[in-house]
Amino acid sequence: MKIAIAGTGYVGLSNGVLLAQHNEVVALDIIPEKVAMLKNKISPIEDKEIEEYLKRDDIDFIATLDKEEAYKDADYIIIATPTDYDPETNYFNTKSIEYVIADVLKINPDATMVIKSTVPVGYTKSVREKFNTDNIIFSPEFLREGQALHDNLYPSRIIVGEKSKRAKVFANLLAQGAIKKDIDILFTDLTEAEAIKLFANTYLAMRVAYFNELDSYAQTHNLDSKQIIEGVGLDPRIGIHYNNPSFGYGGYCLPKDTKQLRANYKDVPCNLISAIVEANATRKDFIAQSIIDRLGSDVSKHADKTVGIYRLTMKSRSDNFRSSAIQGIMKRLKAKGIEVVIYEPVLEDEYFFNSKVIKDIDEFKKISDVIVANRIEDAIRDVQEKVYTRDIFESDS
């Protein structure tokens, strides 16, 4: 089959490379630099498996800037364009999806469009009506940044929001490319599939927020968070996974998905969903104050201190720092007049939101009075006495 991919971020690229093992895949993007990299078999995002698979000779994968080349004669068109949360409207900005739909209907109206971008509950049904077509289905994605292709090769489940022959064909295409066998495949109604994505991510955010609040309590009362978390997690109903405290949930999905789900609750009584969103802001307040406390009790001397931010990224194997929790903490520190510098190898600019970017790790460690690290890495172990972190288990989950 020919499959087109609209958008080459984590979702689009990982799905494209997965499917290119057994199908002709054409990936479309609007950024020339990304397309040029992909044509040279270079991944524009940091993902070990994507980087490896792109260099293989047995995948049928090309990238283009040309809509006609991508969409013409395609059997399936996966829409994986960004849908950032708009705080003014309380909804995802879905314009990029609708641009793709309009283009596809002009070029190849018989193709089945599969929305992989995260959308509000009820969105796919509404665009079917708006564009007067039933050739749009939704299939939620469950990927981790930096391990997107890995999570497609070993999927926890495959869900498609339609009970039809074309839905089964699409699910089988994904399963065909996976290494994992006996994958759980679920076919649901359209809107239920959208709800699954938002509720799943909000549950993950709730778990992050829970262990963060446990950690805040333990730190405040001078208790050992690790002992408490290990004891709690030994209950098999809770488990010892996804329990490492952090500065807050962040990244591309959890912050916007929790806010979108809260917005979808506008006509429904709700306490917990709102609390999950608010808990993340509270954790950032707590972490910022803890860092300030490390600078000493004499507030008048804080202006002479320097806080070094070690990495803006949330996870050790990611190059993405969109909506990372550390950025909210930086804003809180700078609002108190504290100088903040950053060590982030993926940044090429000299400054990031008016904070100086230090390129040399040794200089960074020398000038920083406190080094703030969401996750501990070997590069800063030699200055452990300067480091503030809540990375208890030294893992991303």
Side-chain angles (χ1 to χ4, degrees), residues 328-346:
I329 293 162
M330 286 172 57
K331 291 176 184 176
R332 288 161 170 80
L333 295 175
K334 291 164 74 172
K336 297 289 187 179
I338 297 167
E339 183 181 1
V340 173
V341 298
I342 301 165
Y343 176 77
E344 178 49 75
V346 304

Side-chain angles (χ1 to χ4, degrees), residues 356-371:
K356 189 174 182 181
V357 178
I358 308 298
K359 308 292 184 182
D360 182 82
I361 183 65
D362 291 325
E363 180 188 357
F364 169 80
K365 289 188 285 189
K366 182 178 180 180
I367 67 174
S368 299
D369 293 293
V370 175
I371 294 173

Side-chain angles (χ1 to χ4, degrees), residues 15 18-19 78 114-116 137-143 149-163 166-189 193 196-197:
N15 275 274
L18 176 88
L19 293 165
I78 294 176
V114 182
I115 297 176
K116 281 281 185 181
I137 61 179
F138 178 79
S139 176
E141 200 58 69
F142 307 100
L143 304 176
L149 180 53
H150 178 276
D151 290 345
N152 264 321
L153 293 169
Y154 302 91
S156 58
R157 71 279 209 198
I158 294 171
I159 297 175
V160 184
E162 190 174 79
K163 300 173 183 179
R166 65 184 181 183
K168 290 179 180 177
V169 171
F170 181 72
N172 288 335
L173 289 172
L174 297 177
Q176 181 186 36
I179 295 173
K180 180 182 176 182
K181 304 303 178 186
D182 300 321
I183 302 163
D184 289 324
I185 299 177
L186 179 66
F187 299 98
T188 70
D189 292 332
I196 287 168
K197 175 59 185 283

Side-chain angles (χ1 to χ4, degrees), residues 22 28 46 81 104-105 107 122 133 146 151 163 214 223 242 296 357 365 371 374:
H22 302 286
L28 174 72
E46 187 173 316
T81 56
V104 171
L105 291 176
I107 297 168
T133 179
D151 290 345
K163 300 173 183 179
L214 183 160
L223 303 175
Y242 211 62
V357 178
K365 289 188 285 189
I371 294 173
N374 188 55

Side-chain angles (χ1 to χ4, degrees), residues 206-226 228-229 243-249 278-291 293 329 332 374 388-393:
M206 178 184 70
R207 191 171 172 102
V208 173
Y210 175 84
F211 284 107
N212 280 345
E213 290 208 352
L214 183 160
D215 180 62
S216 294
Y217 180 89
Q219 184 182 323
T220 300
H221 292 280
N222 198 28
L223 303 175
D224 188 329
S225 289
K226 185 176 182 179
I228 300 171
I229 293 171
N243 60 359
N244 194 20
S246 66
F247 295 159
Y249 59 78
E278 293 158 8
N280 211 38
T282 301
R283 175 65 169 179
K284 292 174 190 176
D285 291 339
F286 179 84
I287 294 295
Q289 187 57 52
S290 298
I291 295 164
D293 292 344
I329 293 162
R332 288 161 170 80
N374 188 55
Y388 177 82
T389 186
R390 302 308 299 164
D391 183 12
I392 292 170
F393 297 103

Side-chain angles (χ1 to χ4, degrees), residues 114-126:
V114 182
I115 297 176
K116 281 281 185 181
S117 306
T118 307
V119 297
V121 178
Y123 175 77
T124 308
K125 189 177 289 185
S126 72

Side-chain angles (χ1 to χ4, degrees), residues 190-210:
L190 196 58
T191 304
E192 281 76 359
E194 296 168 338
I196 287 168
K197 175 59 185 283
L198 294 184
F199 276 103
N201 275 354
T202 301
Y203 179 86
L204 294 177
M206 178 184 70
R207 191 171 172 102
V208 173
Y210 175 84

